[in-house]
Amino acid sequence: MSYPEKFQGIAVLDHADYTHPKKVAFDPKPFHPSDIDIAIEACGVCGSDCHAANGGWGDKPKPLVVGHEVIGRVVKIGPNCTTGLKLGDRVGVGAQVLSCLECNRCKEDNEPYCPKFVTTYGQDYEDGYNSKGGYASHIRVHEHFVVPIPENIPSELAAPLLCGGLTVFSPLVRNGCGPGKKVGILGIGGIGHMGVIFAKALGAEVYAISRSSAKKEDAMKLGADHFIATKEEPTWAEDYFDTLDLVVICAGSLTDVDFTKLPKIMKVGGAIRSISIPEASQKLTLQPFGLVGVSIGNSALGSIKETKQLLKLVSEKDLKIWVETIPISEKGVQEAFERMDKGDVRYRFSLTDFDKEFGN
């Protein structure tokens, strides 16, 4: 292929009209000696893409090219790269493209918590370049944030693992999910359905928690051992009192989570971890007395080490998340945004056919 001077992407040009993105050409960030260029072949659609595109996370510089669940092939390698990746390797990039790599947090595999975190799209690097994401022909990334993809995971199934999957996997493994543990996944959607699959694969007894029983059949197919419908079971907090070791909240919004009742179903010393980052206008109200004996917190993205652990688990156990594919184009991204807004997806979208749209 002739190497492009500019990359192409499907971009949001106006938050108020985010469901009508346009194909644009844009300058890639400067190429540094430890960078890798990737020709993209698939990209997952994450709920956070919609939050960023519609302005729910504030005004972002335009053109805004979202997407941070990227799968593609290595097409250029910087002279200082040491990870052993080769041209043509199939690799992935998640929601982080840079950190300082020198602080204690980075050295202890906590790169997402580094103060110099740069997200895959919509954030400025130190030189002022605003990052561009995976709804594009290519992406340019520091090699540390590029991971090899196991051969037996199809690209459209690998993509959602790199943000959505990792985001629920991290609090599971950091809070002891495994044999002998009772783990709740609250919110059976794009991320929550993966949480059920991973918690079961890690050996836990899994409780799927949702407002209604509409997703009960799906949850049981995904591997849940129990199902709690909080709006249909008035005594759920009493019925499951002192039951769970861990709950991971995967709901897109925290408004409907009853933090008065939820701590009651936790064992003493249990942990409630939310991965939800809702629109900036939302507020969380807690009654501190109800949290006695229970810890509650928010979990960020997982680390690169955890990304590799997750990919290994999915590969070795041949886990299959539920994904629908849409060919990337202006029309395809519009469809994805509109259907995401309606909740019309079971349970993740992956954009595909990048070669047809961009000629990679």
Side-chain angles (χ1 to χ4, degrees), residues 319-355:
L319 304 179
K320 299 290 193 238
I321 64 173
W322 293 11
V323 174
E324 180 178 345
T325 61
I326 299 176
I328 190 168
S329 64
E330 293 177 357
K331 181 179 178 181
V333 174
Q334 176 182 355
E335 177 187 346
F337 284 164
E338 290 178 344
R339 290 181 60 188
M340 287 283 284
D341 188 53
K342 297 174 183 176
D344 178 23
V345 54
R346 288 290 189 276
Y347 279 97
R348 297 290 286 197
F349 287 130
S350 283
L351 298 169
T352 58
D353 293 345
F354 281 65
D355 54 337

PDB file of all heavy atoms in Angstrom, residues 319-355:
ATOM      1  N   LEU A 319     -14.065 -18.154  24.926  1.00  0.00           N
ATOM      2  CA  LEU A 319     -15.254 -17.416  25.334  1.00  0.00           C
ATOM      3  C   LEU A 319     -15.800 -16.611  24.161  1.00  0.00           C
ATOM      4  O   LEU A 319     -15.039 -16.053  23.379  1.00  0.00           O
ATOM      5  CB  LEU A 319     -14.931 -16.484  26.505  1.00  0.00           C
ATOM      6  CG  LEU A 319     -14.316 -17.151  27.740  1.00  0.00           C
ATOM      7  CD1 LEU A 319     -14.017 -16.105  28.811  1.00  0.00           C
ATOM      8  CD2 LEU A 319     -15.225 -18.244  28.299  1.00  0.00           C
ATOM      9  N   LYS A 320     -17.109 -16.536  24.065  1.00  0.00           N
ATOM     10  CA  LYS A 320     -17.747 -15.826  22.963  1.00  0.00           C
ATOM     11  C   LYS A 320     -18.673 -14.747  23.518  1.00  0.00           C
ATOM     12  O   LYS A 320     -19.729 -15.039  24.088  1.00  0.00           O
ATOM     13  CB  LYS A 320     -18.560 -16.788  22.089  1.00  0.00           C
ATOM     14  CG  LYS A 320     -17.734 -17.889  21.440  1.00  0.00           C
ATOM     15  CD  LYS A 320     -16.831 -17.346  20.359  1.00  0.00           C
ATOM     16  CE  LYS A 320     -16.283 -18.489  19.524  1.00  0.00           C
ATOM     17  NZ  LYS A 320     -14.854 -18.576  19.489  1.00  0.00           N
ATOM     18  N   ILE A 321     -18.288 -13.483  23.382  1.00  0.00           N
ATOM     19  CA  ILE A 321     -19.193 -12.399  23.722  1.00  0.00           C
ATOM     20  C   ILE A 321     -20.197 -12.232  22.585  1.00  0.00           C
ATOM     21  O   ILE A 321     -20.011 -12.767  21.491  1.00  0.00           O
ATOM     22  CB  ILE A 321     -18.419 -11.101  24.004  1.00  0.00           C
ATOM     23  CG1 ILE A 321     -17.680 -10.625  22.749  1.00  0.00           C
ATOM     24  CG2 ILE A 321     -17.435 -11.296  25.152  1.00  0.00           C
ATOM     25  CD1 ILE A 321     -17.025  -9.259  22.905  1.00  0.00           C
ATOM     26  N   TRP A 322     -21.269 -11.494  22.842  1.00  0.00           N
ATOM     27  CA  TRP A 322     -22.344 -11.355  21.852  1.00  0.00           C
ATOM     28  C   TRP A 322     -22.150 -10.048  21.092  1.00  0.00           C
ATOM     29  O   TRP A 322     -22.269  -8.961  21.663  1.00  0.00           O
ATOM     30  CB  TRP A 322     -23.702 -11.377  22.545  1.00  0.00           C
ATOM     31  CG  TRP A 322     -24.038 -12.702  23.179  1.00  0.00           C
ATOM     32  CD1 TRP A 322     -23.203 -13.767  23.380  1.00  0.00           C
ATOM     33  CD2 TRP A 322     -25.304 -13.089  23.713  1.00  0.00           C
ATOM     34  NE1 TRP A 322     -23.871 -14.789  24.000  1.00  0.00           N
ATOM     35  CE2 TRP A 322     -25.159 -14.416  24.224  1.00  0.00           C
ATOM     36  CE3 TRP A 322     -26.542 -12.477  23.819  1.00  0.00           C
ATOM     37  CZ2 TRP A 322     -26.216 -15.108  24.826  1.00  0.00           C
ATOM     38  CZ3 TRP A 322     -27.602 -13.162  24.418  1.00  0.00           C
ATOM     39  CH2 TRP A 322     -27.431 -14.473  24.907  1.00  0.00           C
ATOM     40  N   VAL A 323     -21.880 -10.175  19.804  1.00  0.00           N
ATOM     41  CA  VAL A 323     -21.514  -9.011  18.982  1.00  0.00           C
ATOM     42  C   VAL A 323     -22.279  -9.027  17.671  1.00  0.00           C
ATOM     43  O   VAL A 323     -22.416 -10.073  17.023  1.00  0.00           O
ATOM     44  CB  VAL A 323     -19.996  -8.999  18.686  1.00  0.00           C
ATOM     45  CG1 VAL A 323     -19.631  -7.875  17.724  1.00  0.00           C
ATOM     46  CG2 VAL A 323     -19.202  -8.864  19.980  1.00  0.00           C
ATOM     47  N   GLU A 324     -22.741  -7.843  17.281  1.00  0.00           N
ATOM     48  CA  GLU A 324     -23.340  -7.631  15.961  1.00  0.00           C
ATOM     49  C   GLU A 324     -22.409  -6.711  15.174  1.00  0.00           C
ATOM     50  O   GLU A 324     -21.899  -5.730  15.720  1.00  0.00           O
ATOM     51  CB  GLU A 324     -24.717  -6.987  16.103  1.00  0.00           C
ATOM     52  CG  GLU A 324     -25.421  -6.735  14.769  1.00  0.00           C
ATOM     53  CD  GLU A 324     -26.809  -6.131  14.943  1.00  0.00           C
ATOM     54  OE1 GLU A 324     -27.344  -6.163  16.067  1.00  0.00           O
ATOM     55  OE2 GLU A 324     -27.352  -5.616  13.947  1.00  0.00           O
ATOM     56  N   THR A 325     -22.198  -7.019  13.904  1.00  0.00           N
ATOM     57  CA  THR A 325     -21.284  -6.213  13.091  1.00  0.00           C
ATOM     58  C   THR A 325     -22.051  -5.248  12.183  1.00  0.00           C
ATOM     59  O   THR A 325     -23.149  -5.553  11.716  1.00  0.00           O
ATOM     60  CB  THR A 325     -20.368  -7.094  12.236  1.00  0.00           C
ATOM     61  OG1 THR A 325     -21.157  -7.888  11.346  1.00  0.00           O
ATOM     62  CG2 THR A 325     -19.515  -7.996  13.113  1.00  0.00           C
ATOM     63  N   ILE A 326     -21.432  -4.087  11.955  1.00  0.00           N
ATOM     64  CA  ILE A 326     -21.948  -3.070  11.041  1.00  0.00           C
ATOM     65  C   ILE A 326     -20.779  -2.573  10.190  1.00  0.00           C
ATOM     66  O   ILE A 326     -19.747  -2.190  10.742  1.00  0.00           O
ATOM     67  CB  ILE A 326     -22.564  -1.873  11.800  1.00  0.00           C
ATOM     68  CG1 ILE A 326     -23.739  -2.315  12.665  1.00  0.00           C
ATOM     69  CG2 ILE A 326     -23.007  -0.790  10.821  1.00  0.00           C
ATOM     70  CD1 ILE A 326     -24.326  -1.192  13.515  1.00  0.00           C
ATOM     71  N   PRO A 327     -20.892  -2.569   8.867  1.00  0.00           N
ATOM     72  CA  PRO A 327     -19.804  -2.028   8.037  1.00  0.00           C
ATOM     73  C   PRO A 327     -19.601  -0.543   8.318  1.00  0.00           C
ATOM     74  O   PRO A 327     -20.573   0.226   8.383  1.00  0.00           O
ATOM     75  CB  PRO A 327     -20.301  -2.256   6.602  1.00  0.00           C
ATOM     76  CG  PRO A 327     -21.311  -3.350   6.715  1.00  0.00           C
ATOM     77  CD  PRO A 327     -21.974  -3.154   8.045  1.00  0.00           C
ATOM     78  N   ILE A 328     -18.354  -0.129   8.472  1.00  0.00           N
ATOM     79  CA  ILE A 328     -18.101   1.277   8.775  1.00  0.00           C
ATOM     80  C   ILE A 328     -18.339   2.152   7.552  1.00  0.00           C
ATOM     81  O   ILE A 328     -17.979   1.806   6.419  1.00  0.00           O
ATOM     82  CB  ILE A 328     -16.679   1.495   9.335  1.00  0.00           C
ATOM     83  CG1 ILE A 328     -16.550   2.932   9.864  1.00  0.00           C
ATOM     84  CG2 ILE A 328     -15.611   1.159   8.289  1.00  0.00           C
ATOM     85  CD1 ILE A 328     -15.332   3.194  10.682  1.00  0.00           C
ATOM     86  N   SER A 329     -18.976   3.264   7.774  1.00  0.00           N
ATOM     87  CA  SER A 329     -19.250   4.291   6.777  1.00  0.00           C
ATOM     88  C   SER A 329     -19.989   5.397   7.523  1.00  0.00           C
ATOM     89  O   SER A 329     -20.311   5.249   8.712  1.00  0.00           O
ATOM     90  CB  SER A 329     -20.137   3.753   5.646  1.00  0.00           C
ATOM     91  OG  SER A 329     -21.415   3.384   6.151  1.00  0.00           O
ATOM     92  N   GLU A 330     -20.290   6.490   6.846  1.00  0.00           N
ATOM     93  CA  GLU A 330     -21.117   7.510   7.491  1.00  0.00           C
ATOM     94  C   GLU A 330     -22.454   6.899   7.919  1.00  0.00           C
ATOM     95  O   GLU A 330     -22.933   7.112   9.038  1.00  0.00           O
ATOM     96  CB  GLU A 330     -21.346   8.688   6.545  1.00  0.00           C
ATOM     97  CG  GLU A 330     -20.086   9.491   6.229  1.00  0.00           C
ATOM     98  CD  GLU A 330     -20.344  10.599   5.230  1.00  0.00           C
ATOM     99  OE1 GLU A 330     -21.494  10.705   4.747  1.00  0.00           O
ATOM    100  OE2 GLU A 330     -19.410  11.361   4.921  1.00  0.00           O
ATOM    101  N   LYS A 331     -23.052   6.134   7.020  1.00  0.00           N
ATOM    102  CA  LYS A 331     -24.346   5.509   7.309  1.00  0.00           C
ATOM    103  C   LYS A 331     -24.228   4.474   8.419  1.00  0.00           C
ATOM    104  O   LYS A 331     -25.108   4.367   9.291  1.00  0.00           O
ATOM    105  CB  LYS A 331     -24.897   4.852   6.041  1.00  0.00           C
ATOM    106  CG  LYS A 331     -26.254   4.200   6.206  1.00  0.00           C
ATOM    107  CD  LYS A 331     -26.741   3.580   4.901  1.00  0.00           C
ATOM    108  CE  LYS A 331     -28.088   2.887   5.075  1.00  0.00           C
ATOM    109  NZ  LYS A 331     -28.534   2.257   3.800  1.00  0.00           N
ATOM    110  N   GLY A 332     -23.141   3.701   8.407  1.00  0.00           N
ATOM    111  CA  GLY A 332     -22.960   2.663   9.418  1.00  0.00           C
ATOM    112  C   GLY A 332     -22.789   3.229  10.813  1.00  0.00           C
ATOM    113  O   GLY A 332     -23.368   2.718  11.779  1.00  0.00           O
ATOM    114  N   VAL A 333     -21.998   4.295  10.935  1.00  0.00           N
ATOM    115  CA  VAL A 333     -21.806   4.919  12.245  1.00  0.00           C
ATOM    116  C   VAL A 333     -23.104   5.568  12.713  1.00  0.00           C
ATOM    117  O   VAL A 333     -23.455   5.516  13.894  1.00  0.00           O
ATOM    118  CB  VAL A 333     -20.646   5.928  12.206  1.00  0.00           C
ATOM    119  CG1 VAL A 333     -20.541   6.692  13.513  1.00  0.00           C
ATOM    120  CG2 VAL A 333     -19.327   5.207  11.912  1.00  0.00           C
ATOM    121  N   GLN A 334     -23.847   6.170  11.772  1.00  0.00           N
ATOM    122  CA  GLN A 334     -25.156   6.729  12.123  1.00  0.00           C
ATOM    123  C   GLN A 334     -26.063   5.638  12.692  1.00  0.00           C
ATOM    124  O   GLN A 334     -26.718   5.833  13.730  1.00  0.00           O
ATOM    125  CB  GLN A 334     -25.818   7.368  10.905  1.00  0.00           C
ATOM    126  CG  GLN A 334     -27.234   7.890  11.192  1.00  0.00           C
ATOM    127  CD  GLN A 334     -27.903   8.493   9.959  1.00  0.00           C
ATOM    128  OE1 GLN A 334     -27.297   8.622   8.902  1.00  0.00           O
ATOM    129  NE2 GLN A 334     -29.162   8.876  10.104  1.00  0.00           N
ATOM    130  N   GLU A 335     -26.109   4.489  12.024  1.00  0.00           N
ATOM    131  CA  GLU A 335     -26.937   3.388  12.511  1.00  0.00           C
ATOM    132  C   GLU A 335     -26.508   2.952  13.905  1.00  0.00           C
ATOM    133  O   GLU A 335     -27.344   2.732  14.792  1.00  0.00           O
ATOM    134  CB  GLU A 335     -26.844   2.193  11.550  1.00  0.00           C
ATOM    135  CG  GLU A 335     -27.639   0.983  12.035  1.00  0.00           C
ATOM    136  CD  GLU A 335     -27.426  -0.256  11.181  1.00  0.00           C
ATOM    137  OE1 GLU A 335     -26.882  -0.142  10.066  1.00  0.00           O
ATOM    138  OE2 GLU A 335     -27.799  -1.349  11.657  1.00  0.00           O
ATOM    139  N   ALA A 336     -25.210   2.830  14.108  1.00  0.00           N
ATOM    140  CA  ALA A 336     -24.708   2.402  15.415  1.00  0.00           C
ATOM    141  C   ALA A 336     -25.105   3.387  16.505  1.00  0.00           C
ATOM    142  O   ALA A 336     -25.600   2.994  17.572  1.00  0.00           O
ATOM    143  CB  ALA A 336     -23.192   2.236  15.368  1.00  0.00           C
ATOM    144  N   PHE A 337     -24.915   4.689  16.257  1.00  0.00           N
ATOM    145  CA  PHE A 337     -25.271   5.697  17.258  1.00  0.00           C
ATOM    146  C   PHE A 337     -26.770   5.690  17.552  1.00  0.00           C
ATOM    147  O   PHE A 337     -27.188   5.757  18.708  1.00  0.00           O
ATOM    148  CB  PHE A 337     -24.844   7.088  16.779  1.00  0.00           C
ATOM    149  CG  PHE A 337     -23.373   7.363  16.895  1.00  0.00           C
ATOM    150  CD1 PHE A 337     -22.801   8.423  16.200  1.00  0.00           C
ATOM    151  CD2 PHE A 337     -22.554   6.608  17.711  1.00  0.00           C
ATOM    152  CE1 PHE A 337     -21.447   8.711  16.311  1.00  0.00           C
ATOM    153  CE2 PHE A 337     -21.196   6.876  17.823  1.00  0.00           C
ATOM    154  CZ  PHE A 337     -20.648   7.934  17.121  1.00  0.00           C
ATOM    155  N   GLU A 338     -27.582   5.629  16.503  1.00  0.00           N
ATOM    156  CA  GLU A 338     -29.027   5.679  16.700  1.00  0.00           C
ATOM    157  C   GLU A 338     -29.527   4.452  17.454  1.00  0.00           C
ATOM    158  O   GLU A 338     -30.385   4.554  18.342  1.00  0.00           O
ATOM    159  CB  GLU A 338     -29.731   5.820  15.351  1.00  0.00           C
ATOM    160  CG  GLU A 338     -29.529   7.182  14.698  1.00  0.00           C
ATOM    161  CD  GLU A 338     -30.189   7.310  13.343  1.00  0.00           C
ATOM    162  OE1 GLU A 338     -30.553   6.262  12.747  1.00  0.00           O
ATOM    163  OE2 GLU A 338     -30.342   8.444  12.864  1.00  0.00           O
ATOM    164  N   ARG A 339     -29.010   3.298  17.117  1.00  0.00           N
ATOM    165  CA  ARG A 339     -29.449   2.085  17.787  1.00  0.00           C
ATOM    166  C   ARG A 339     -28.910   2.007  19.221  1.00  0.00           C
ATOM    167  O   ARG A 339     -29.598   1.505  20.114  1.00  0.00           O
ATOM    168  CB  ARG A 339     -29.050   0.858  16.975  1.00  0.00           C
ATOM    169  CG  ARG A 339     -29.841   0.721  15.668  1.00  0.00           C
ATOM    170  CD  ARG A 339     -29.443  -0.514  14.886  1.00  0.00           C
ATOM    171  NE  ARG A 339     -29.662  -1.731  15.653  1.00  0.00           N
ATOM    172  CZ  ARG A 339     -29.255  -2.940  15.264  1.00  0.00           C
ATOM    173  NH1 ARG A 339     -28.603  -3.080  14.115  1.00  0.00           N
ATOM    174  NH2 ARG A 339     -29.476  -3.989  16.019  1.00  0.00           N
ATOM    175  N   MET A 340     -27.706   2.505  19.432  1.00  0.00           N
ATOM    176  CA  MET A 340     -27.185   2.565  20.801  1.00  0.00           C
ATOM    177  C   MET A 340     -28.066   3.466  21.658  1.00  0.00           C
ATOM    178  O   MET A 340     -28.362   3.156  22.816  1.00  0.00           O
ATOM    179  CB  MET A 340     -25.746   3.078  20.794  1.00  0.00           C
ATOM    180  CG  MET A 340     -24.714   2.094  20.274  1.00  0.00           C
ATOM    181  SD  MET A 340     -24.280   0.818  21.471  1.00  0.00           S
ATOM    182  CE  MET A 340     -23.232   1.761  22.565  1.00  0.00           C
ATOM    183  N   ASP A 341     -28.492   4.579  21.090  1.00  0.00           N
ATOM    184  CA  ASP A 341     -29.326   5.521  21.827  1.00  0.00           C
ATOM    185  C   ASP A 341     -30.652   4.886  22.231  1.00  0.00           C
ATOM    186  O   ASP A 341     -31.215   5.190  23.286  1.00  0.00           O
ATOM    187  CB  ASP A 341     -29.569   6.776  20.983  1.00  0.00           C
ATOM    188  CG  ASP A 341     -30.262   7.877  21.759  1.00  0.00           C
ATOM    189  OD1 ASP A 341     -29.778   8.243  22.841  1.00  0.00           O
ATOM    190  OD2 ASP A 341     -31.296   8.375  21.283  1.00  0.00           O
ATOM    191  N   LYS A 342     -31.146   3.970  21.399  1.00  0.00           N
ATOM    192  CA  LYS A 342     -32.415   3.286  21.678  1.00  0.00           C
ATOM    193  C   LYS A 342     -32.223   2.013  22.514  1.00  0.00           C
ATOM    194  O   LYS A 342     -33.207   1.394  22.924  1.00  0.00           O
ATOM    195  CB  LYS A 342     -33.093   2.895  20.362  1.00  0.00           C
ATOM    196  CG  LYS A 342     -33.495   4.069  19.475  1.00  0.00           C
ATOM    197  CD  LYS A 342     -34.031   3.562  18.145  1.00  0.00           C
ATOM    198  CE  LYS A 342     -34.371   4.704  17.208  1.00  0.00           C
ATOM    199  NZ  LYS A 342     -34.815   4.216  15.863  1.00  0.00           N
ATOM    200  N   GLY A 343     -30.973   1.627  22.737  1.00  0.00           N
ATOM    201  CA  GLY A 343     -30.720   0.366  23.422  1.00  0.00           C
ATOM    202  C   GLY A 343     -30.996  -0.842  22.556  1.00  0.00           C
ATOM    203  O   GLY A 343     -31.215  -1.950  23.065  1.00  0.00           O
ATOM    204  N   ASP A 344     -30.965  -0.652  21.248  1.00  0.00           N
ATOM    205  CA  ASP A 344     -31.293  -1.711  20.292  1.00  0.00           C
ATOM    206  C   ASP A 344     -30.031  -2.467  19.895  1.00  0.00           C
ATOM    207  O   ASP A 344     -29.574  -2.416  18.754  1.00  0.00           O
ATOM    208  CB  ASP A 344     -31.960  -1.091  19.050  1.00  0.00           C
ATOM    209  CG  ASP A 344     -32.290  -2.121  17.982  1.00  0.00           C
ATOM    210  OD1 ASP A 344     -32.431  -3.309  18.324  1.00  0.00           O
ATOM    211  OD2 ASP A 344     -32.400  -1.719  16.795  1.00  0.00           O
ATOM    212  N   VAL A 345     -29.455  -3.187  20.846  1.00  0.00           N
ATOM    213  CA  VAL A 345     -28.268  -3.984  20.555  1.00  0.00           C
ATOM    214  C   VAL A 345     -28.173  -5.093  21.591  1.00  0.00           C
ATOM    215  O   VAL A 345     -28.413  -4.896  22.766  1.00  0.00           O
ATOM    216  CB  VAL A 345     -26.980  -3.106  20.568  1.00  0.00           C
ATOM    217  CG1 VAL A 345     -26.861  -2.334  21.869  1.00  0.00           C
ATOM    218  CG2 VAL A 345     -25.740  -3.953  20.310  1.00  0.00           C
ATOM    219  N   ARG A 346     -27.851  -6.307  21.129  1.00  0.00           N
ATOM    220  CA  ARG A 346     -27.612  -7.443  22.010  1.00  0.00           C
ATOM    221  C   ARG A 346     -26.263  -8.054  21.638  1.00  0.00           C
ATOM    222  O   ARG A 346     -26.189  -8.912  20.806  1.00  0.00           O
ATOM    223  CB  ARG A 346     -28.698  -8.516  21.869  1.00  0.00           C
ATOM    224  CG  ARG A 346     -30.048  -8.159  22.453  1.00  0.00           C
ATOM    225  CD  ARG A 346     -29.994  -8.118  23.985  1.00  0.00           C
ATOM    226  NE  ARG A 346     -31.302  -7.994  24.588  1.00  0.00           N
ATOM    227  CZ  ARG A 346     -31.961  -6.856  24.783  1.00  0.00           C
ATOM    228  NH1 ARG A 346     -31.400  -5.713  24.391  1.00  0.00           N
ATOM    229  NH2 ARG A 346     -33.134  -6.840  25.349  1.00  0.00           N
ATOM    230  N   TYR A 347     -25.120  -7.729  22.253  1.00  0.00           N
ATOM    231  CA  TYR A 347     -25.041  -6.688  23.258  1.00  0.00           C
ATOM    232  C   TYR A 347     -23.953  -5.676  22.922  1.00  0.00           C
ATOM    233  O   TYR A 347     -23.807  -4.677  23.608  1.00  0.00           O
ATOM    234  CB  TYR A 347     -24.756  -7.325  24.624  1.00  0.00           C
ATOM    235  CG  TYR A 347     -26.009  -7.877  25.277  1.00  0.00           C
ATOM    236  CD1 TYR A 347     -26.337  -9.224  25.168  1.00  0.00           C
ATOM    237  CD2 TYR A 347     -26.876  -7.044  25.979  1.00  0.00           C
ATOM    238  CE1 TYR A 347     -27.489  -9.721  25.759  1.00  0.00           C
ATOM    239  CE2 TYR A 347     -28.032  -7.537  26.577  1.00  0.00           C
ATOM    240  CZ  TYR A 347     -28.328  -8.879  26.455  1.00  0.00           C
ATOM    241  OH  TYR A 347     -29.478  -9.367  27.016  1.00  0.00           O
ATOM    242  N   ARG A 348     -23.204  -5.930  21.867  1.00  0.00           N
ATOM    243  CA  ARG A 348     -22.173  -4.975  21.435  1.00  0.00           C
ATOM    244  C   ARG A 348     -22.194  -4.873  19.914  1.00  0.00           C
ATOM    245  O   ARG A 348     -22.562  -5.819  19.209  1.00  0.00           O
ATOM    246  CB  ARG A 348     -20.765  -5.429  21.853  1.00  0.00           C
ATOM    247  CG  ARG A 348     -20.537  -5.517  23.328  1.00  0.00           C
ATOM    248  CD  ARG A 348     -20.494  -4.183  24.018  1.00  0.00           C
ATOM    249  NE  ARG A 348     -19.280  -3.432  23.771  1.00  0.00           N
ATOM    250  CZ  ARG A 348     -18.873  -2.404  24.498  1.00  0.00           C
ATOM    251  NH1 ARG A 348     -19.587  -2.006  25.534  1.00  0.00           N
ATOM    252  NH2 ARG A 348     -17.768  -1.751  24.218  1.00  0.00           N
ATOM    253  N   PHE A 349     -21.759  -3.709  19.421  1.00  0.00           N
ATOM    254  CA  PHE A 349     -21.521  -3.523  17.994  1.00  0.00           C
ATOM    255  C   PHE A 349     -20.013  -3.508  17.744  1.00  0.00           C
ATOM    256  O   PHE A 349     -19.246  -2.943  18.529  1.00  0.00           O
ATOM    257  CB  PHE A 349     -22.070  -2.178  17.506  1.00  0.00           C
ATOM    258  CG  PHE A 349     -23.566  -2.101  17.398  1.00  0.00           C
ATOM    259  CD1 PHE A 349     -24.245  -1.041  17.971  1.00  0.00           C
ATOM    260  CD2 PHE A 349     -24.290  -3.060  16.715  1.00  0.00           C
ATOM    261  CE1 PHE A 349     -25.622  -0.930  17.873  1.00  0.00           C
ATOM    262  CE2 PHE A 349     -25.671  -2.968  16.615  1.00  0.00           C
ATOM    263  CZ  PHE A 349     -26.342  -1.897  17.194  1.00  0.00           C
ATOM    264  N   SER A 350     -19.611  -4.081  16.622  1.00  0.00           N
ATOM    265  CA  SER A 350     -18.270  -3.881  16.089  1.00  0.00           C
ATOM    266  C   SER A 350     -18.396  -3.382  14.656  1.00  0.00           C
ATOM    267  O   SER A 350     -19.143  -3.962  13.849  1.00  0.00           O
ATOM    268  CB  SER A 350     -17.445  -5.175  16.104  1.00  0.00           C
ATOM    269  OG  SER A 350     -16.973  -5.471  17.389  1.00  0.00           O
ATOM    270  N   LEU A 351     -17.689  -2.310  14.366  1.00  0.00           N
ATOM    271  CA  LEU A 351     -17.612  -1.805  12.999  1.00  0.00           C
ATOM    272  C   LEU A 351     -16.562  -2.606  12.241  1.00  0.00           C
ATOM    273  O   LEU A 351     -15.484  -2.889  12.761  1.00  0.00           O
ATOM    274  CB  LEU A 351     -17.241  -0.318  13.010  1.00  0.00           C
ATOM    275  CG  LEU A 351     -18.249   0.601  13.717  1.00  0.00           C
ATOM    276  CD1 LEU A 351     -17.653   1.994  13.912  1.00  0.00           C
ATOM    277  CD2 LEU A 351     -19.556   0.684  12.939  1.00  0.00           C
ATOM    278  N   THR A 352     -16.894  -2.978  11.000  1.00  0.00           N
ATOM    279  CA  THR A 352     -16.011  -3.825  10.191  1.00  0.00           C
ATOM    280  C   THR A 352     -15.888  -3.245   8.776  1.00  0.00           C
ATOM    281  O   THR A 352     -16.368  -2.154   8.499  1.00  0.00           O
ATOM    282  CB  THR A 352     -16.568  -5.258  10.119  1.00  0.00           C
ATOM    283  OG1 THR A 352     -17.889  -5.229   9.564  1.00  0.00           O
ATOM    284  CG2 THR A 352     -16.620  -5.896  11.514  1.00  0.00           C
ATOM    285  N   ASP A 353     -15.246  -3.988   7.884  1.00  0.00           N
ATOM    286  CA  ASP A 353     -15.088  -3.635   6.472  1.00  0.00           C
ATOM    287  C   ASP A 353     -14.361  -2.306   6.289  1.00  0.00           C
ATOM    288  O   ASP A 353     -14.682  -1.507   5.403  1.00  0.00           O
ATOM    289  CB  ASP A 353     -16.444  -3.572   5.777  1.00  0.00           C
ATOM    290  CG  ASP A 353     -17.122  -4.934   5.671  1.00  0.00           C
ATOM    291  OD1 ASP A 353     -16.425  -5.948   5.883  1.00  0.00           O
ATOM    292  OD2 ASP A 353     -18.329  -4.987   5.388  1.00  0.00           O
ATOM    293  N   PHE A 354     -13.359  -2.062   7.102  1.00  0.00           N
ATOM    294  CA  PHE A 354     -12.566  -0.846   7.004  1.00  0.00           C
ATOM    295  C   PHE A 354     -11.824  -0.764   5.673  1.00  0.00           C
ATOM    296  O   PHE A 354     -11.621   0.326   5.137  1.00  0.00           O
ATOM    297  CB  PHE A 354     -11.572  -0.750   8.170  1.00  0.00           C
ATOM    298  CG  PHE A 354     -12.190  -0.282   9.456  1.00  0.00           C
ATOM    299  CD1 PHE A 354     -13.146  -1.048  10.118  1.00  0.00           C
ATOM    300  CD2 PHE A 354     -11.824   0.933  10.023  1.00  0.00           C
ATOM    301  CE1 PHE A 354     -13.712  -0.633  11.304  1.00  0.00           C
ATOM    302  CE2 PHE A 354     -12.392   1.363  11.213  1.00  0.00           C
ATOM    303  CZ  PHE A 354     -13.341   0.589  11.857  1.00  0.00           C
ATOM    304  N   ASP A 355     -11.419  -1.925   5.134  1.00  0.00           N
ATOM    305  CA  ASP A 355     -10.696  -1.919   3.868  1.00  0.00           C
ATOM    306  C   ASP A 355     -11.588  -1.404   2.735  1.00  0.00           C
ATOM    307  O   ASP A 355     -11.111  -0.703   1.833  1.00  0.00           O
ATOM    308  CB  ASP A 355     -10.176  -3.319   3.539  1.00  0.00           C
ATOM    309  CG  ASP A 355     -11.265  -4.374   3.552  1.00  0.00           C
ATOM    310  OD1 ASP A 355     -12.307  -4.176   4.204  1.00  0.00           O
ATOM    311  OD2 ASP A 355     -11.069  -5.429   2.902  1.00  0.00           O
TER     312      ASP A 355
END
